[in-house]
Amino acid sequence: MMLSRVSVALAALGLSQDVLSAASSDNNKYSLVQPLYKPLDLGSIKPLGWFKDQLQLEADGLGGNLFDFYRFVHDSRYIGGSTEYSALDEASPYWFNGLVPLAFGLGDERIRSQVQYYLDYVLDHQQEDGWLGFETTQASRGLWARCLLLLGMIQYAEADPMRTERIVDAMHRYTVLAHSMLKNNYTGLLVHGNDTFDTAGFGVGRTHEMHIPMQWLLERYPRNNSEILWETMQMMIDGGVVWGADWRTFWTEENYPKIYYETTPYNLSWVFIHGVNMAEGLRYPLSLYRNTNDSSLKSQSRLAVDLLAKYHRSLAGTIIADEYISDLNPSRGAELCIAAEVMFSSAYLYQYLGGNDVADWAEQTAFNAFPVSVTPDWWSHQYVQQENQPWSRNLSTNDLWWDVNSYANVFGLEPNYPCCTVNHPQAYPKFLANSFVSTEDGGLAHVFLIPSSASTGLGPDGSNIVLINANTTYPFGHNITYSISATVSFTFYVRIPEWAEKASTINGQIPVSPNDSGLQKVDVPAGKSSLSVELAASPRVTHRANNTAAIYYGPLLYALAIEHDITSHEPINYRSQQPLPANTTDPLGRTQDFQLTPKNGTIWNIAIDPQQIEIVKTNKSNSGLGELDNPIWDLGAPPVELRVKAVEIDWPVVRDSPADPGTFEVTRKGEPFWTRFVPYGSSKLHMALLPVMGLDDA
Ligand SMILES: *[C@@H]1O[C@H](CO)[C@@H](O)[C@H](O)[C@H]1NC(C)=O
Ligand SMILES: *[C@@H]1O[C@H](CO)[C@@H](O)[C@H](O)[C@H]1NC(C)=O
Ligand SMILES: *[C@@H]1O[C@H](CO)[C@@H](O)[C@H](O)[C@H]1NC(C)=O
Ligand SMILES: *[C@@H]1O[C@H](CO)[C@@H](O)[C@H](O)[C@H]1NC(C)=O
Ligand SMILES: *[C@@H]1O[C@H](CO)[C@@H](O)[C@H](O)[C@H]1NC(C)=O
Ligand SMILES: *[C@@H]1O[C@H](CO)[C@@H](O)[C@H](O)[C@H]1NC(C)=O
Ligand SMILES: *[C@@H]1O[C@H](CO)[C@@H](O)[C@H](O)[C@H]1NC(C)=O
Ligand SMILES: *[C@@H]1O[C@H](CO)[C@@H](O)[C@H](O)[C@H]1NC(C)=O
Ligand SMILES: *[C@@H]1O[C@H](CO)[C@@H](O)[C@H](O)[C@H]1NC(C)=O
Ligand SMILES: *[C@@H]1O[C@H](CO)[C@@H](O)[C@H](O)[C@H]1NC(C)=O
Ligand SMILES: *[C@@H]1O[C@H](CO)[C@@H](O)[C@H](O)[C@H]1NC(C)=O
Ligand SMILES: *[C@@H]1O[C@H](CO)[C@@H](O)[C@H](O)[C@H]1NC(C)=O
């Protein structure tokens, strides 16, 4: 389908063969490194099962309703309104970038009409000189938010051939303008004199975000404009380098701050130690690698993954950073949009690096860090989520954090900075869009093992029409049943996660034999066929500093469940901390701020014996392979729990959160007992990193 879609689009554009051949010779000069695994065009993959339920909840929840009431989207200046949360003007572009894949992944008409309205408005109002957006002065015109707009637009162009030509036209006109601005001492990127568009340096720390849209344009619709596209990318990077935001200097053993406190010597820019920037900056060396083919940039991408994994990756997969990195202690927490960006970056990195652990990382974040910060009905979210978090309320202090307020771990509409309100929607739709990929040898691979169906045209001319349904409750169950139809035989791959054990099988009997990249090859015949994959797993214990441990089972992190009481009230304004006026909250009252406190008598202060773990199938697991509760990320909904032997301990509370292990003496109180561990994402209050203590079997 990839190729055939492109030729359909080219035909729609009425491009002559001359232009096509000019474009292809142009392409040789400006050729890009190709990924090992290519994503399919947006719209080729549809969600099934629990993942479809999740996208539907997202569409029916906050993400899918921001357009109707939320001031930074509904009243965005991009569509004729008057409200932006900062001079970056990034709010509705973030929203657009997330809602486009939701609209076309889920196939939801209401959401599609929202993004279509927005797209058409923005394109209709493209300025004479090519500028996209409402800003008319040099002082206010920043390039950064345009990167997000363009990211949304290329997805739209893939999914809807009726809009492709307009989008491509607009992107070329914009690029010519951006090129001339950048040529003029990086105008729009670097702030000169009284420029207001980026006084902190967020955009200049994210210069590579222009690369994905520009590279897309260069490959698919270069229109004899390749040189301009190429130079535009180059100047974005050069401008960032001039300013001091070259990520190549940061992702190194020497310069990467393994632990960062106020007293830590550190000579580089602040932009590098900001969690969301880091999640995005992971892609910087790779973006440059695509243009330069310099293999050291590929190695550096791998190093970046490894440094983050070792020093700042949370148990749940995100980057511990509140908004800045510090250490790996479980009270620090992580900002929600870091998880959304990590999911996108790890999926993208996997397509080039191919490391099985990188794909596992994307799943780890998608099944743990992301859902834990969103309420089961998708109407509220946290700004900061802590690994050890026995309550979620306005803390009595924010001394715990660099730059986050005491309200940040409340579930709400905008419990702290509104970037997470507008940027969280991209996480699941893009994860879906990257779940099946095509392989270099002309095959297809299922890499993120969620229930979904892919339809695509394989083969050089796209004529081998392949349809695959993956029926599974993964990650809540570990079996996947595929039903497949294909015009011609082809090679299918299933990614076998690193945690899967030797007893994993195909069709219930053949032991899996993945290659060193973790891909299990299956020859699929023409016509209809089916296939099943059964992954074998047991609970795994990860030991961490200060004699602590965390428990995983399959891709899920398990944590102590904390039953809670809930109080709610109308959402507050993140700046004034006063109730928001009704004109920016949901008219039906569905968006509320929630404070969660442990039920009276609930114990969170425990040490565990990780030698003593039992798997428990709850009564939810009787309902069969295809059935899961909806919503699933709710306490008690997932069908598999663990019981872990534990004992109550004295655990001091410091800065209104459980003290970090290592700072207090672990002394037991009373007799051991079995505690209930559940998937972390389902338990908004939880303790995930716990002191370890040997407890007698009893
Ligand atoms: C990149 O370099 C490799 C090895 O030198 C070469 O095989 C490949 O064709 C190059 N790719 C591009 C896009 O230039
Ligand atoms: C919402 O109402 C407030 C007054 O309560 C007003 O200042 C503001 O402009 C309104 N916002 C929108 C988006 O209509
Ligand atoms: C380019 O911009 C920088 C930052 O505003 C300024 O310091 C420098 O003088 C400018 N250079 C030229 C040639 O205008
Ligand atoms: C900056 O703004 C001040 C006050 O409006 C004005 O006097 C000055 O000329 C401006 N400088 C530049 C470089 O535009
Ligand atoms: C492409 O652009 C070059 C100069 O930039 C021009 O000489 C050439 O005629 C153009 N080709 C087409 C097919 O427009
Ligand atoms: C930071 O800069 C100072 C002075 O230039 C230098 O002595 C020090 O080694 C640098 N530190 C790091 C971590 O690079
Ligand atoms: C949250 O607590 C802080 C003090 O820690 C206080 O300043 C703020 O007003 C409170 N916010 C709300 C919405 O109650
Ligand atoms: C998964 O598949 C295996 C092998 O066919 C089977 O024994 C097991 O019962 C299945 N598990 C579930 C939960 O259906
Ligand atoms: C595993 O198979 C995939 C798909 O053909 C391929 O891209 C990858 O390079 C292979 N890995 C190894 C280590 O051979
Ligand atoms: C909590 O439970 C204890 C007994 O377990 C009881 O004495 C106490 O009053 C309860 N507190 C509240 C606030 O209900
Ligand atoms: C998925 O599998 C379950 C259990 O085998 C079955 O009940 C259900 O109908 C299947 N769903 C689809 C869409 O094939
Ligand atoms: C472990 O304990 C030490 C000593 O209190 C502390 O410095 C450190 O931050 C703790 N946590 C980790 C993750 O190392």
Side-chain angles (χ1 to χ4, degrees):
M1 196 87 93
M2 288 166 64
L3 282 174
S4 60
R5 262 177 197 264
V6 173
S7 23
V8 168
L10 287 175
L13 296 179
L15 292 180
S16 70
Q17 278 307 317
D18 290 352
V19 177
L20 286 177
S21 49
S24 76
S25 72
D26 223 16
N27 260 350
N28 292 338
K29 191 163 160 201
Y30 300 109
S31 60
L32 297 172
V33 172
Q34 294 305 302
L36 295 170
Y37 311 127
K38 272 200 177 111
L40 310 180
D41 276 358
L42 181 64
S44 312
I45 306 175
K46 297 284 185 236
L48 295 172
W50 77 269
F51 206 80
K52 182 176 186 185
D53 293 341
Q54 284 295 304
L55 291 192
Q56 193 65 56
L57 288 166
E58 177 177 345
D60 296 343
L62 189 55
N65 283 283
L66 292 171
F67 182 72
D68 291 328
F69 68 77
Y70 192 52
R71 62 196 184 287
F72 300 125
V73 180
H74 179 75
D75 192 41
S76 163
R77 296 186 68 188
Y78 285 86
I79 47 175
S82 55
T83 314
E84 295 293 328
Y85 61 64
S86 81
L88 294 170
D89 299 335
E90 65 182 9
S92 65
Y94 262 135
W95 165 87
F96 183 63
N97 176 39
L99 271 283
V100 170
L102 177 64
F104 293 103
L106 182 59
D108 187 286
E109 260 316 293
R110 193 176 61 87
I111 305 300
R112 202 194 52 75
S113 69
Q114 294 177 359
V115 290
Q116 185 184 318
Y117 176 89
Y118 186 90
L119 174 76
D120 287 347
Y121 193 101
V122 167
L123 295 182
D124 288 347
H125 292 80
Q126 183 165 25
Q127 296 180 31
E128 281 297 307
D129 62 0
W131 185 250
L132 285 164
F134 58 91
E135 303 91 338
T136 54
T137 60
Q138 177 190 314
S140 59
R141 281 183 167 188
L143 298 173
W144 150 243
R146 273 15 75 167
C147 300
L148 300 171
L149 259 189
L150 299 188
L151 273 173
M153 283 164 59
I154 63 173
Q155 296 175 84
Y156 208 119
E158 283 180 17
D160 182 0
M162 301 296 291
R163 286 289 187 290
T164 309
E165 183 177 7
R166 275 200 84 189
I167 289 171
V168 169
D169 283 347
M171 286 179 71
H172 277 292
R173 284 180 59 206
Y174 168 74
T175 306
V176 170
L177 173 66
H179 182 267
S180 69
M181 289 169 67
L182 289 163
K183 263 219 134 99
N184 181 20
N185 198 11
Y186 309 109
T187 300
L189 177 62
L190 302 186
V191 162
H192 303 305
N194 290 348
D195 289 357
T196 53
F197 60 80
D198 186 16
T199 48
F202 277 100
V204 86
R206 300 168 177 178
T207 50
H208 63 294
E209 296 290 27
M210 191 82 110
H211 275 58
I212 289 180
M214 296 286 114
Q215 288 167 343
W216 180 92
L217 206 54
L218 185 71
E219 282 192 312
R220 298 197 187 205
Y221 311 102
R223 300 244 186 113
N224 198 28
N225 200 25
S226 301
E227 190 175 357
I228 298 281
L229 289 165
W230 198 266
E231 287 180 5
T232 302
M233 288 187 260
Q234 187 59 50
M235 286 189 288
M236 286 294 282
I237 298 302
D238 292 348
V241 170
V242 166
W243 189 89
D246 181 351
W247 288 85
R248 287 165 294 189
T249 62
F250 176 75
W251 296 121
T252 65
E253 278 289 351
E254 306 73 51
N255 290 341
Y256 182 88
K258 280 94 183 165
I259 291 180
Y260 182 76
Y261 298 131
E262 253 150 333
T263 51
T264 306
Y266 174 72
N267 292 344
L268 298 175
S269 167
W270 70 269
V271 299
F272 302 123
I273 52 171
H274 179 272
V276 178
N277 287 351
M278 289 171 89
E280 297 178 349
L282 266 176
R283 283 182 274 116
Y284 182 104
L286 196 60
S287 298
L288 273 55
Y289 168 62
R290 286 208 72 193
N291 290 28
T292 59
N293 203 12
D294 172 354
S295 62
S296 71
L297 290 166
K298 188 180 178 188
S299 321
Q300 194 174 27
S301 303
R302 182 67 239 189
L303 177 64
V305 168
D306 293 339
L307 287 169
L308 258 180
K310 187 161 174 198
Y311 299 109
H312 294 103
R313 178 156 135 200
S314 80
L315 298 167
T318 187
I319 301 168
I320 295 194
D322 60 76
E323 307 170 344
Y324 300 94
I325 52 168
S326 54
D327 56 29
L328 270 180
N329 278 305
S331 67
R332 304 284 324 196
E335 183 186 338
L336 172 59
C337 29
I338 300 177
E341 294 288 350
V342 161
M343 285 172 61
F344 179 57
S345 288
S346 51
Y348 181 75
L349 285 163
Y350 174 67
Q351 289 161 10
Y352 290 85
L353 303 179
N356 202 19
D357 62 318
V358 183
D360 278 335
W361 183 22
E363 288 197 352
Q364 181 190 14
T365 312
F367 302 145
N368 302 289
F370 185 78
V372 79
S373 275
V374 176
T375 49
D377 67 0
W378 282 79
W379 270 99
S380 303
H381 67 278
Q382 288 175 300
Y383 189 68
V384 165
Q385 180 275 135
Q386 300 160 291
E387 288 176 344
N388 285 350
Q389 179 186 275
W391 42 80
S392 159
R393 52 175 164 73
N394 192 15
L395 301 180
S396 60
T397 172
N398 66 350
D399 287 352
L400 206 54
W401 292 316
W402 288 115
D403 188 22
V404 165
N405 69 31
S406 63
Y407 201 77
N409 88 344
V410 168
F411 286 83
L413 172 61
E414 49 180 52
N416 203 149
Y417 210 67
C419 55
C420 292
T421 311
V422 291
N423 193 19
H424 81 277
Q426 70 159 308
Y428 269 18
K430 289 195 181 177
F431 188 64
L432 174 77
N434 287 310
S435 63
F436 280 90
V437 290
S438 63
T439 57
E440 286 174 306
D441 58 357
L444 191 68
H446 191 208
V447 293
F448 302 145
L449 304 178
I450 49 172
S452 56
S453 68
S455 88
T456 189
L458 295 179
D461 59 355
S463 66
N464 184 11
I465 304 301
V466 170
L467 295 169
I468 300 191
N469 269 349
N471 184 0
T472 180
T473 59
Y474 187 90
F476 305 100
H478 303 146
N479 288 356
I480 312 170
T481 306
Y482 295 96
S483 44
I484 308 175
S485 75
T487 327
V488 189
S489 63
F490 74 102
T491 309
F492 181 50
Y493 295 92
V494 181
R495 194 180 69 82
I496 307 298
E498 285 197 336
W499 49 259
E501 294 173 355
K502 283 216 169 61
S504 302
T505 54
I506 296 169
N507 294 333
Q509 42 195 326
I510 309 159
V512 295
S513 52
N515 74 8
D516 286 349
S517 311
L519 291 188
Q520 170 68 46
K521 186 175 180 182
V522 181
D523 293 316
V524 173
K528 286 192 192 307
S529 60
S530 65
L531 163 76
S532 70
V533 173
E534 301 83 24
L535 301 172
S538 344
R540 305 185 305 287
V541 177
T542 293
H543 290 274
R544 283 277 181 100
N546 296 317
N547 196 27
T548 55
I551 301 171
Y552 296 85
Y553 181 38
L556 296 175
L557 172 67
Y558 276 71
L560 177 72
I562 300 176
E563 303 247 0
H564 54 265
D565 294 318
I566 300 180
T567 57
S568 67
H569 54 80
E570 61 201 324
I572 58 131
N573 179 300
Y574 76 102
R575 272 195 203 284
S576 68
Q577 301 270 305
Q578 297 302 311
L580 279 162
N583 62 5
T584 195
T585 65
D586 176 45
L588 301 178
R590 291 168 295 186
T591 181
Q592 293 281 310
D593 285 6
F594 295 98
Q595 321 244 357
L596 278 45
T597 46
K599 280 194 186 301
N600 190 14
T602 303
I603 291 171
W604 55 266
N605 44 314
I606 59 167
I608 55 170
D609 180 356
Q611 305 284 347
Q612 299 189 63
I613 302 175
E614 289 181 358
I615 300 169
V616 174
K617 305 233 152 115
T618 72
N619 57 3
K620 308 285 185 194
S621 60
N622 297 333
S623 47
L625 190 69
E627 305 274 334
L628 285 172
D629 268 15
N630 180 26
I632 188 66
W633 295 118
D634 200 359
L635 184 56
V640 180
E641 300 188 352
L642 302 176
R643 297 292 177 262
V644 180
K645 188 63 81 62
V647 70
E648 195 175 348
I649 60 169
D650 285 315
W651 195 323
V653 171
V654 175
R655 289 172 294 204
D656 210 7
S657 291
D660 287 321
T663 62
F664 60 94
E665 202 167 324
V666 176
T667 47
R668 60 185 275 181
K669 300 200 302 188
E671 291 306 304
F673 54 97
W674 290 99
T675 48
R676 178 186 182 201
F677 273 55
V678 300
Y680 182 77
S682 71
S683 194
K684 311 307 167 185
L685 299 187
H686 48 252
M687 298 290 288
L689 187 69
L690 295 158
V692 168
M693 194 180 272
L695 300 170
D696 293 341
D697 293 35

PDB file of all heavy atoms in Angstrom, residues 124-140:
ATOM      1  N   ASP A 124      -6.016  27.560   4.830  1.00  0.00           N
ATOM      2  CA  ASP A 124      -6.709  28.711   4.238  1.00  0.00           C
ATOM      3  C   ASP A 124      -6.068  30.027   4.664  1.00  0.00           C
ATOM      4  O   ASP A 124      -6.185  31.024   3.968  1.00  0.00           O
ATOM      5  CB  ASP A 124      -8.191  28.748   4.684  1.00  0.00           C
ATOM      6  CG  ASP A 124      -9.026  27.664   4.027  1.00  0.00           C
ATOM      7  OD1 ASP A 124      -8.544  27.044   3.051  1.00  0.00           O
ATOM      8  OD2 ASP A 124     -10.154  27.417   4.510  1.00  0.00           O
ATOM      9  N   HIS A 125      -5.460  30.026   5.843  1.00  0.00           N
ATOM     10  CA  HIS A 125      -4.879  31.269   6.360  1.00  0.00           C
ATOM     11  C   HIS A 125      -3.367  31.314   6.236  1.00  0.00           C
ATOM     12  O   HIS A 125      -2.715  32.125   6.895  1.00  0.00           O
ATOM     13  CB  HIS A 125      -5.317  31.494   7.817  1.00  0.00           C
ATOM     14  CG  HIS A 125      -6.780  31.799   7.934  1.00  0.00           C
ATOM     15  ND1 HIS A 125      -7.744  30.814   7.900  1.00  0.00           N
ATOM     16  CD2 HIS A 125      -7.443  32.975   8.039  1.00  0.00           C
ATOM     17  CE1 HIS A 125      -8.945  31.379   7.999  1.00  0.00           C
ATOM     18  NE2 HIS A 125      -8.786  32.681   8.086  1.00  0.00           N
ATOM     19  N   GLN A 126      -2.823  30.437   5.419  1.00  0.00           N
ATOM     20  CA  GLN A 126      -1.376  30.552   5.178  1.00  0.00           C
ATOM     21  C   GLN A 126      -1.117  31.949   4.604  1.00  0.00           C
ATOM     22  O   GLN A 126      -1.826  32.418   3.707  1.00  0.00           O
ATOM     23  CB  GLN A 126      -0.892  29.473   4.193  1.00  0.00           C
ATOM     24  CG  GLN A 126       0.611  29.531   3.973  1.00  0.00           C
ATOM     25  CD  GLN A 126       1.176  28.274   3.297  1.00  0.00           C
ATOM     26  OE1 GLN A 126       0.446  27.569   2.591  1.00  0.00           O
ATOM     27  NE2 GLN A 126       2.444  27.988   3.522  1.00  0.00           N
ATOM     28  N   GLN A 127      -0.101  32.615   5.137  1.00  0.00           N
ATOM     29  CA  GLN A 127       0.097  34.010   4.746  1.00  0.00           C
ATOM     30  C   GLN A 127       0.777  34.104   3.376  1.00  0.00           C
ATOM     31  O   GLN A 127       1.380  33.145   2.903  1.00  0.00           O
ATOM     32  CB  GLN A 127       0.872  34.741   5.849  1.00  0.00           C
ATOM     33  CG  GLN A 127       0.047  34.788   7.149  1.00  0.00           C
ATOM     34  CD  GLN A 127       0.750  35.492   8.302  1.00  0.00           C
ATOM     35  OE1 GLN A 127       1.543  36.409   8.078  1.00  0.00           O
ATOM     36  NE2 GLN A 127       0.467  35.066   9.513  1.00  0.00           N
ATOM     37  N   GLU A 128       0.674  35.276   2.771  1.00  0.00           N
ATOM     38  CA  GLU A 128       1.226  35.524   1.440  1.00  0.00           C
ATOM     39  C   GLU A 128       2.670  35.042   1.312  1.00  0.00           C
ATOM     40  O   GLU A 128       3.065  34.471   0.309  1.00  0.00           O
ATOM     41  CB  GLU A 128       1.213  37.045   1.145  1.00  0.00           C
ATOM     42  CG  GLU A 128      -0.138  37.578   0.734  1.00  0.00           C
ATOM     43  CD  GLU A 128      -0.621  36.954  -0.559  1.00  0.00           C
ATOM     44  OE1 GLU A 128       0.129  36.977  -1.559  1.00  0.00           O
ATOM     45  OE2 GLU A 128      -1.755  36.397  -0.572  1.00  0.00           O
ATOM     46  N   ASP A 129       3.442  35.284   2.355  1.00  0.00           N
ATOM     47  CA  ASP A 129       4.864  34.940   2.280  1.00  0.00           C
ATOM     48  C   ASP A 129       5.125  33.478   2.637  1.00  0.00           C
ATOM     49  O   ASP A 129       6.272  33.054   2.701  1.00  0.00           O
ATOM     50  CB  ASP A 129       5.689  35.871   3.182  1.00  0.00           C
ATOM     51  CG  ASP A 129       5.317  35.748   4.654  1.00  0.00           C
ATOM     52  OD1 ASP A 129       4.411  34.951   5.001  1.00  0.00           O
ATOM     53  OD2 ASP A 129       5.937  36.443   5.489  1.00  0.00           O
ATOM     54  N   GLY A 130       4.067  32.709   2.894  1.00  0.00           N
ATOM     55  CA  GLY A 130       4.247  31.283   3.156  1.00  0.00           C
ATOM     56  C   GLY A 130       4.166  30.916   4.628  1.00  0.00           C
ATOM     57  O   GLY A 130       4.150  29.735   4.981  1.00  0.00           O
ATOM     58  N   TRP A 131       4.099  31.903   5.517  1.00  0.00           N
ATOM     59  CA  TRP A 131       4.061  31.600   6.956  1.00  0.00           C
ATOM     60  C   TRP A 131       2.803  30.822   7.314  1.00  0.00           C
ATOM     61  O   TRP A 131       1.700  31.163   6.868  1.00  0.00           O
ATOM     62  CB  TRP A 131       4.108  32.906   7.767  1.00  0.00           C
ATOM     63  CG  TRP A 131       4.191  32.675   9.249  1.00  0.00           C
ATOM     64  CD1 TRP A 131       3.223  32.911  10.176  1.00  0.00           C
ATOM     65  CD2 TRP A 131       5.324  32.166   9.973  1.00  0.00           C
ATOM     66  NE1 TRP A 131       3.670  32.579  11.429  1.00  0.00           N
ATOM     67  CE2 TRP A 131       4.961  32.112  11.337  1.00  0.00           C
ATOM     68  CE3 TRP A 131       6.607  31.742   9.595  1.00  0.00           C
ATOM     69  CZ2 TRP A 131       5.832  31.657  12.327  1.00  0.00           C
ATOM     70  CZ3 TRP A 131       7.473  31.291  10.585  1.00  0.00           C
ATOM     71  CH2 TRP A 131       7.078  31.251  11.941  1.00  0.00           C
ATOM     72  N   LEU A 132       2.951  29.796   8.111  1.00  0.00           N
ATOM     73  CA  LEU A 132       1.823  29.007   8.607  1.00  0.00           C
ATOM     74  C   LEU A 132       1.555  29.429  10.045  1.00  0.00           C
ATOM     75  O   LEU A 132       2.419  29.278  10.909  1.00  0.00           O
ATOM     76  CB  LEU A 132       2.166  27.515   8.560  1.00  0.00           C
ATOM     77  CG  LEU A 132       2.149  26.860   7.169  1.00  0.00           C
ATOM     78  CD1 LEU A 132       2.873  25.522   7.195  1.00  0.00           C
ATOM     79  CD2 LEU A 132       0.720  26.695   6.660  1.00  0.00           C
ATOM     80  N   GLY A 133       0.374  29.965  10.272  1.00  0.00           N
ATOM     81  CA  GLY A 133       0.073  30.446  11.616  1.00  0.00           C
ATOM     82  C   GLY A 133      -0.294  31.919  11.543  1.00  0.00           C
ATOM     83  O   GLY A 133      -0.274  32.527  10.472  1.00  0.00           O
ATOM     84  N   PHE A 134      -0.594  32.457  12.696  1.00  0.00           N
ATOM     85  CA  PHE A 134      -1.204  33.788  12.769  1.00  0.00           C
ATOM     86  C   PHE A 134      -0.192  34.905  12.975  1.00  0.00           C
ATOM     87  O   PHE A 134      -0.511  36.071  12.815  1.00  0.00           O
ATOM     88  CB  PHE A 134      -2.204  33.817  13.929  1.00  0.00           C
ATOM     89  CG  PHE A 134      -1.563  33.466  15.247  1.00  0.00           C
ATOM     90  CD1 PHE A 134      -1.029  34.463  16.049  1.00  0.00           C
ATOM     91  CD2 PHE A 134      -1.467  32.148  15.672  1.00  0.00           C
ATOM     92  CE1 PHE A 134      -0.410  34.144  17.249  1.00  0.00           C
ATOM     93  CE2 PHE A 134      -0.852  31.828  16.872  1.00  0.00           C
ATOM     94  CZ  PHE A 134      -0.315  32.828  17.662  1.00  0.00           C
ATOM     95  N   GLU A 135       1.048  34.586  13.355  1.00  0.00           N
ATOM     96  CA  GLU A 135       1.999  35.625  13.739  1.00  0.00           C
ATOM     97  C   GLU A 135       2.413  36.445  12.507  1.00  0.00           C
ATOM     98  O   GLU A 135       2.630  35.880  11.435  1.00  0.00           O
ATOM     99  CB  GLU A 135       3.242  35.010  14.386  1.00  0.00           C
ATOM    100  CG  GLU A 135       2.954  34.136  15.609  1.00  0.00           C
ATOM    101  CD  GLU A 135       2.742  32.660  15.265  1.00  0.00           C
ATOM    102  OE1 GLU A 135       2.398  32.358  14.099  1.00  0.00           O
ATOM    103  OE2 GLU A 135       2.905  31.811  16.152  1.00  0.00           O
ATOM    104  N   THR A 136       2.551  37.764  12.708  1.00  0.00           N
ATOM    105  CA  THR A 136       2.869  38.613  11.562  1.00  0.00           C
ATOM    106  C   THR A 136       4.177  39.383  11.724  1.00  0.00           C
ATOM    107  O   THR A 136       4.601  40.052  10.788  1.00  0.00           O
ATOM    108  CB  THR A 136       1.745  39.647  11.324  1.00  0.00           C
ATOM    109  OG1 THR A 136       1.542  40.358  12.550  1.00  0.00           O
ATOM    110  CG2 THR A 136       0.443  38.982  10.899  1.00  0.00           C
ATOM    111  N   THR A 137       4.798  39.316  12.901  1.00  0.00           N
ATOM    112  CA  THR A 137       6.020  40.103  13.091  1.00  0.00           C
ATOM    113  C   THR A 137       7.215  39.170  13.318  1.00  0.00           C
ATOM    114  O   THR A 137       7.052  38.031  13.764  1.00  0.00           O
ATOM    115  CB  THR A 137       5.902  40.996  14.340  1.00  0.00           C
ATOM    116  OG1 THR A 137       5.695  40.145  15.484  1.00  0.00           O
ATOM    117  CG2 THR A 137       4.741  41.960  14.213  1.00  0.00           C
ATOM    118  N   GLN A 138       8.381  39.671  13.028  1.00  0.00           N
ATOM    119  CA  GLN A 138       9.586  38.875  13.279  1.00  0.00           C
ATOM    120  C   GLN A 138       9.672  38.488  14.752  1.00  0.00           C
ATOM    121  O   GLN A 138      10.049  37.370  15.096  1.00  0.00           O
ATOM    122  CB  GLN A 138      10.844  39.655  12.894  1.00  0.00           C
ATOM    123  CG  GLN A 138      12.113  38.848  13.213  1.00  0.00           C
ATOM    124  CD  GLN A 138      13.403  39.636  13.088  1.00  0.00           C
ATOM    125  OE1 GLN A 138      13.596  40.353  12.117  1.00  0.00           O
ATOM    126  NE2 GLN A 138      14.286  39.481  14.079  1.00  0.00           N
ATOM    127  N   ALA A 139       9.289  39.429  15.622  1.00  0.00           N
ATOM    128  CA  ALA A 139       9.413  39.194  17.059  1.00  0.00           C
ATOM    129  C   ALA A 139       8.599  37.978  17.512  1.00  0.00           C
ATOM    130  O   ALA A 139       8.991  37.266  18.437  1.00  0.00           O
ATOM    131  CB  ALA A 139       8.984  40.434  17.823  1.00  0.00           C
ATOM    132  N   SER A 140       7.461  37.751  16.860  1.00  0.00           N
ATOM    133  CA  SER A 140       6.564  36.693  17.338  1.00  0.00           C
ATOM    134  C   SER A 140       6.635  35.403  16.524  1.00  0.00           C
ATOM    135  O   SER A 140       6.046  34.398  16.911  1.00  0.00           O
ATOM    136  CB  SER A 140       5.119  37.218  17.342  1.00  0.00           C
ATOM    137  OG  SER A 140       4.746  37.607  16.042  1.00  0.00           O
TER     138      SER A 140
END
